[in-house]
Amino acid sequence: MRVSRVQAEENREKVINVASRLFRERGFDGIGLKDLMKGAGLTQGGFYKQFSSKEHLAALASSRAMESATGRWSTAAATSSDPLEAVMSFYLSMGHRGEMADGCPLVALGSDAVRQSDEVRHPFEEGVAAHFEVLDELMNDAKSSNPSAKAMTILSLMVGAVTLSRIMGDKSLAEGILDAAAEEVRRIAHREDVV
């Protein structure tokens, strides 16, 4: 049965969204095309009508995941009188630690992205730059086109803290890592000597 163009585009978007979640949950190499398509409720046969390769899908899914992550930061920031605190509250939380499929793609796929092609790595580079920009705006440090040292330090600290907390089986230690990172982010954000 032939699928309409509208339905084909809906199917394509569904596959990208499902791949975005499944790649974060299992890694780029942790799931095959058959299971990706099954997760979207479609057969593997339609894959190559929509995507040139799994790598192409990984790039699109990574871009979608990074856009979603930046959007979550902006949404959290918009709902608070202390935007940086609002971002930290959700990001450095045990809830976010447990969001394997919907959490931060930098945490879930950062080390995998390093070993991928430029096509797949590019959305991560753009996403990191977007996160730097959001952080600089939250701290009123958007003074130049380059990210501030504060933004680079804070993002690195937060991504690292969530990554380490996910490794830890001891939940109280995992929570301690997140809490320590939050305290350090607060300290860095309010320092004048870090630019």
Side-chain angles (χ1 to χ4, degrees), residues 21 59 76 85-86 92 99 109 127 139 147 155 165 171 191 195:
R21 295 187 79 240
E85 188 67 34
L92 294 173
E99 290 180 354
L109 295 169
M139 296 181 295
L155 182 61
S165 74
K171 288 198 190 308
R191 282 181 58 190
V195 241

Side-chain angles (χ1 to χ4, degrees), residues 28-47:
F28 291 121
D29 297 328
I31 187 161
L33 291 180
K34 181 179 178 182
D35 289 331
L36 279 169
M37 295 302 283
K38 185 178 178 182
L42 301 167
T43 63
Q44 187 176 352
F47 179 84

Side-chain angles (χ1 to χ4, degrees), residues 83-102:
L84 182 58
E85 188 67 34
V87 168
M88 279 190 334
S89 289
F90 96 79
Y91 193 90
L92 294 173
S93 69
M94 291 297 281
H96 181 238
R97 173 191 183 261
E99 290 180 354
M100 302 302 275
D102 293 315

Side-chain angles (χ1 to χ4, degrees), residues 12 45-52:
R12 184 177 197 275
F47 179 84
Y48 289 103
K49 291 178 183 171
Q50 300 288 345
F51 309 100
S52 59

Side-chain angles (χ1 to χ4, degrees), residues 4-76:
S4 72
R5 287 179 195 222
V6 171
Q7 185 62 52
E9 184 56 33
E10 288 174 7
N11 289 347
R12 184 177 197 275
E13 289 300 308
K14 187 175 187 180
V15 171
I16 293 169
N17 289 332
V18 167
S20 174
R21 295 187 79 240
L22 289 174
F23 284 141
R24 281 182 276 175
E25 185 178 319
R26 301 182 191 174
F28 291 121
D29 297 328
I31 187 161
L33 291 180
K34 181 179 178 182
D35 289 331
L36 279 169
M37 295 302 283
K38 185 178 178 182
L42 301 167
T43 63
Q44 187 176 352
F47 179 84
Y48 289 103
K49 291 178 183 171
Q50 300 288 345
F51 309 100
S52 59
S53 64
K54 183 179 176 186
E55 181 178 276
H56 178 221
L57 174 59
L60 294 170
S62 296
S63 183
R64 180 73 44 89
M66 290 305 303
E67 289 166 5
S68 172
T70 305
R72 282 182 80 181
W73 280 39
S74 296
T75 299

